[in-house]
Amino acid sequence: MFDTLGNELKRKCYTEHEDYFCVDMKVSKDSSKYLVAGFIRPQSSNPQAVMVLDRGLNKLDFATYDVGTGGIGRRIEENRFGDYLFIGHARDEDLYDSRDNAFVMRIDPDGLTQESLQFFTPSGDLKDNQVQIIVASGVQDSILYIGGHGGITDTTGTQDAWILALTDLGTCDTADCYPWLVAGMEEVPAEWMYDWSIGTGSDAWHVRLERPELHQLGSEMEVMNLQGQTVLQQPIEAAAFQIPFTQLPSGTYIVQWQQGSRRMYIRAFRP
């Protein structure tokens, strides 16, 4: 602990937590505690860890969490309800095989028990085992903002920067959570957005493509869930066709038209 001139005021060591690596520290909103986030080495199998200290640097609580292999807890925030939001990246092999993705864990401040855990792929489908690296976070007006970079499936093969906007419960309830979906189009004229439409039937989406360029050979339709995962994919062979959705659970989806590097997105609801 230091004063505003950088002079050391107090020092405390916690030797009972071997190989605990701290990467972030925040003062709680009521200014009564320090919130510490990090992970326990080795990185290949490490659990994530959160420590709570009082203002005298005395340990109040400590807990570890298993969120997948190779993970790193990067940031800790506090939401409007007093819950802690533990943010980092890790590998949930059931969802994403060997690829790391951003995670947000909501933690009860009383006892540090896990309340929820969400994984996100803010830069889209990953390739070549690229990871989502978290570099910043903040909570403002009930929105959790997370900034980072990661590998993205596109024509450039770059690792693009991204900003992820979530609710301060650590969840994504709209497609606006994903910057690569917000614009609605990539490399297409704006008027093309008016030349296609999607209607919802009882067992399928009904797609109409008014412009001939939209159903040329090589065009493709893809359906993604709000976690950015592809759930349906089919080539476009006509100006009007259906996308059956009986195998999908109810909810909001993103339907993407794609032709080479050109893309357009429309939200669609599966009742």
Side-chain angles (χ1 to χ4, degrees):
M1 182 184 298
F2 301 89
D3 63 18
T4 56
L5 298 177
N7 301 307
E8 182 176 320
L9 299 176
K10 196 165 188 176
R11 181 191 297 251
K12 203 75 176 276
C13 296
Y14 303 94
T15 57
E16 68 271 30
H17 303 301
E18 186 176 359
D19 293 328
Y20 179 43
F21 190 78
C22 170
V23 293
D24 192 29
M25 186 172 184
K26 295 276 194 325
V27 179
S28 63
K29 287 185 176 180
D30 62 6
S31 300
S32 66
K33 298 181 286 291
Y34 292 112
L35 313 177
V36 184
F39 60 94
I40 296 177
R41 294 175 174 172
Q43 186 179 340
S44 60
S45 60
N46 58 300
Q48 310 306 295
V50 168
M51 182 184 293
V52 180
L53 310 174
D54 65 17
R55 293 303 295 268
L57 300 185
N58 301 300
K59 187 176 68 174
L60 300 176
D61 213 342
F62 180 85
T64 60
Y65 311 92
D66 182 8
V67 296
T69 60
I72 296 180
R74 291 280 185 173
R75 295 289 183 267
I76 190 164
E77 304 289 347
E78 190 176 3
N79 69 9
R80 57 188 152 149
F81 306 106
D83 299 328
Y84 303 149
L85 301 171
F86 190 22
I87 303 152
H89 65 82
R91 190 170 305 130
D92 186 328
E93 295 185 356
D94 291 336
L95 290 176
Y96 300 107
D97 300 323
S98 61
R99 301 164 296 182
D100 279 28
N101 284 264
F103 74 80
V104 178
M105 180 187 298
R106 185 163 55 92
I107 298 173
D108 188 334
D110 299 322
L112 298 185
T113 56
Q114 177 182 319
E115 294 185 316
S116 64
L117 175 64
Q118 303 286 333
F119 281 85
F120 301 95
T121 311
S123 63
D125 269 345
L126 301 183
K127 286 187 174 180
D128 302 323
N129 296 330
Q130 300 292 347
V131 299
Q132 310 285 348
I133 302 298
I134 313 300
V135 295
S137 66
V139 177
Q140 184 176 4
D141 297 330
S142 302
I143 299 175
L144 170 64
Y145 295 99
I146 304 172
H149 60 87
I152 183 171
T153 302
D154 62 8
T155 57
T156 65
T158 61
Q159 295 191 50
D160 293 342
W162 47 260
I163 296 177
L164 182 63
L166 306 172
T167 73
D168 66 350
L169 294 176
T171 60
C172 171
D173 57 5
T174 75
D176 290 334
C177 295
Y178 299 95
W180 51 283
L181 294 177
V182 169
M185 65 189 75
E186 296 177 24
E187 299 184 25
V188 300
E191 60 268 21
W192 285 25
M193 283 294 291
Y194 300 101
D195 294 327
W196 72 311
S197 61
I198 295 181
T200 302
S202 59
D203 57 1
W205 288 299
H206 299 265
V207 183
R208 290 189 61 85
L209 304 172
E210 306 293 344
R211 182 178 291 268
E213 294 95 321
L214 297 178
H215 50 87
Q216 287 181 347
L217 184 65
S219 300
E220 187 176 65
M221 197 66 69
E222 183 174 347
V223 179
M224 294 169 284
N225 60 24
L226 291 185
Q227 282 69 49
Q229 298 168 289
T230 298
V231 294
L232 290 173
Q233 197 169 25
Q234 68 183 62
I236 299 173
E237 299 175 343
F241 58 95
Q242 296 183 11
I243 304 176
F245 54 50
T246 52
Q247 71 272 44
L248 298 178
S250 177
T252 302
Y253 292 85
I254 304 301
V255 180
Q256 172 186 271
W257 170 89
Q258 180 175 349
Q259 187 185 86
S261 61
R262 292 176 164 181
R263 294 180 177 89
M264 293 192 297
Y265 312 96
I266 289 182
R267 302 183 197 185
F269 183 74
R270 192 276 197 233

